Amino acid sequence: MPAASTVASTTVVAASPSLPVADSRMAPGGPGYRRMSLALFLAGVATFALLYSTQALLPLISGDFAVTASDASWTVSAATGALALFVLPMSALSERFGRRTVMTASLAVAVTVGLLVPFAPSLGALIALRAVQGAALAGLPASATAYLAEEVRPKALITAIGLFVAGNSVGGMSGRVITGWVAQEWGWRVAVAVIGVVAVGCAVAFRLLLPAPKHFRTGSLRPRVLARAVRTHLANPLLRRLYAIGALFMTVFGAVYTVIGYRLTEAPFGLPQGIVGSVFLVYLVGTVSASTAGKLVARLGRRGALYLAGGTTTTGLLLSLSDALALVLLGLVLITAGFFAGHAVASSAVSHTAKEGRAQASALYQSAYYVGSSAGSTLGAVAFHAGGWSGTVALGLLAVLGVVGITVMGSRAARSLRVA
């Protein structure tokens, strides 16, 4: 009799519509949130440190293999291009096998290849290894944002994604600073080997720290299901605009940071490799701007935050035209702050907008983002070869103009919906 009474009582409680259902997803200050944040921060560090490990070393790679800046830039473009190509298939794997599993496997392969990169016998071999590394890293970005969208409460999502993006900025900064100083003493091969070892440590810590997912639901690997999800996302005008904004912001960033090493080692600056690597400390600004993106959106709205990010980036590009080193550095600070803020706002908006197939929605954003990176790296080097730093800046300004134009289109579309 007591057992039956208990069952009946439990049934009534479960069926009662008046009782609120507790949200078991993670939130700041709650169980697992700090471990999750640190784990994905370290994953972001490893991803960007590996992905851009050769960027600050391009002048040395050019000299070692006797090739031009455009040729050497393919060690960056191959990695980012392969990531862009494989991020959608990897997101599909994460729907079937789980976000944490795919992220762990991706990091394991990427760090293994990272330990082989220093032994590349030729530029062609180096580019091939970097392409494999980029393809492996494709499992991180889309899976990470999908994991956050599933495991973190909506109000904390922008902040959580901002912390992951902040990890990207720390990885990009530390990778370039470390490689700059190490390469100055022992050459670029030892420098990328050191980055590989650092990434191994980050990968191990990531796997130990990341909480097991509680809200993941297994999806389908069938091509028709994937194609339907992709068509649905691409049919959404807001998502299309966000994808384009991510690509254009990254075109600016990829162009500037691929070429800046050449500019600073040449006249009128003539800086040594170690000092050039230290210039990437400005990435710390990106860490701050990305992690505060949530507050920026709360105050200005998404489109207001994007306008501010675009204006900041434009100001930085114009300042970087100066021959005064202090103004060039200030320009890099503003470019970095604008880029990371814009990226955090756009990527979090994708996760918020997509109600189903979040991994595919995030993957499409990441694909567009890294297509922009690959295009920026290659076109930035071509523009620098053709017109010097002014050519690279002109390319960046065109991309920012595109961001502003797309954001204006979004504002008009939102206004017309309100009127209707």
Side-chain angles (χ1 to χ4, degrees):
M1 194 60 184
S5 176
T6 302
V7 172
S9 175
T10 302
T11 303
V12 170
V13 170
S16 174
S18 61
L19 293 176
V21 178
D23 191 339
S24 60
R25 289 175 291 183
M26 289 180 280
Y33 185 85
R34 184 173 295 180
R35 287 180 57 205
M36 176 275 298
S37 298
L38 180 56
L40 289 178
F41 180 85
L42 291 173
V45 170
T47 299
F48 258 47
L50 290 170
L51 193 62
Y52 295 100
S53 59
T54 62
Q55 194 172 57
L57 305 173
L58 293 180
L60 295 179
I61 293 172
S62 291
D64 190 18
F65 292 118
V67 297
T68 65
S70 298
D71 292 333
S73 72
W74 279 102
T75 63
V76 179
S77 299
T80 55
L83 193 154
L85 184 64
F86 279 86
V87 69
L88 190 58
M90 291 294 245
S91 75
L93 291 177
S94 82
E95 293 280 6
R96 177 64 181 84
F97 299 107
R99 319 301 185 197
R100 189 169 69 160
T101 299
V102 170
M103 288 189 284
T104 301
S106 293
L107 272 180
V109 174
V111 298
T112 300
V113 175
L115 297 176
L116 297 176
V117 165
F119 303 100
S122 65
L123 180 64
L126 177 59
I127 291 172
L129 284 171
R130 295 282 292 146
V132 173
Q133 195 171 47
L137 287 170
L140 264 295
S143 298
T145 51
Y147 175 95
L148 289 170
E150 292 162 352
E151 305 297 329
V152 175
R153 295 182 189 178
K155 289 185 177 180
L157 183 59
I158 294 180
T159 300
I161 290 179
L163 288 171
F164 176 64
V165 174
N168 293 167
S169 70
V170 170
M173 175 205 69
S174 59
R176 291 163 171 91
V177 172
I178 291 170
T179 55
W181 284 106
V182 173
Q184 183 171 300
E185 296 297 326
W186 295 288
W188 69 268
R189 294 179 186 274
V190 175
V192 293
V194 169
I195 292 300
V197 172
V198 170
V200 168
C202 289
V204 172
F206 160 81
R207 187 61 182 82
L208 293 174
L209 288 169
L210 189 68
K214 296 180 180 179
H215 301 275
F216 170 72
R217 298 292 179 269
T218 304
S220 174
L221 271 177
R222 288 182 297 172
R224 285 186 179 180
V225 175
L226 177 61
R228 185 166 60 246
V230 170
R231 285 197 302 269
T232 298
H233 296 320
L234 291 179
N236 187 320
L238 174 55
L239 287 177
R240 288 202 304 269
R241 290 194 294 269
L242 292 170
Y243 297 154
I245 286 171
L248 290 168
F249 264 126
M250 195 53 168
T251 297
V252 181
F253 199 69
V256 166
Y257 278 101
T258 294
V259 173
I260 192 64
Y262 289 98
R263 188 183 185 212
L264 295 179
T265 54
E266 295 177 357
F269 306 112
L271 300 180
Q273 187 65 44
I275 298 297
V276 170
S278 296
V279 166
F280 291 92
L281 284 168
V282 299
Y283 264 51
L284 288 172
V285 177
T287 304
V288 175
S289 67
S291 60
T292 58
K295 294 180 181 178
L296 195 63
V297 172
R299 178 171 295 184
L300 302 175
R302 183 179 66 247
R303 286 183 292 274
L306 289 172
Y307 285 132
L308 180 60
T312 303
T313 304
T314 298
T315 303
L317 286 167
L318 295 175
L319 284 176
S320 73
L321 290 168
S322 173
D323 285 337
L325 182 59
L327 290 179
V328 173
L329 295 179
L330 177 58
L332 290 176
V333 166
L334 294 177
I335 292 167
T336 304
F339 161 73
F340 275 106
H343 170 41
V345 170
S347 61
S348 60
V350 168
S351 296
H352 178 74
T353 302
K355 303 305 180 185
E356 295 181 359
R358 283 193 174 104
Q360 283 74 43
S362 296
L364 287 168
Y365 175 83
Q366 297 293 337
S367 182
Y369 174 80
Y370 285 108
V371 164
S373 176
S374 185
S377 297
T378 301
L379 295 177
V382 170
F384 182 74
H385 181 73
W389 182 252
S390 297
T392 303
V393 168
L395 174 67
L397 291 173
L398 283 174
V400 175
L401 182 62
V403 169
V404 173
I406 291 169
T407 307
V408 169
M409 288 172 56
S411 298
R412 290 179 175 175
R415 192 178 302 118
S416 65
L417 287 174
R418 285 196 298 269
V419 171

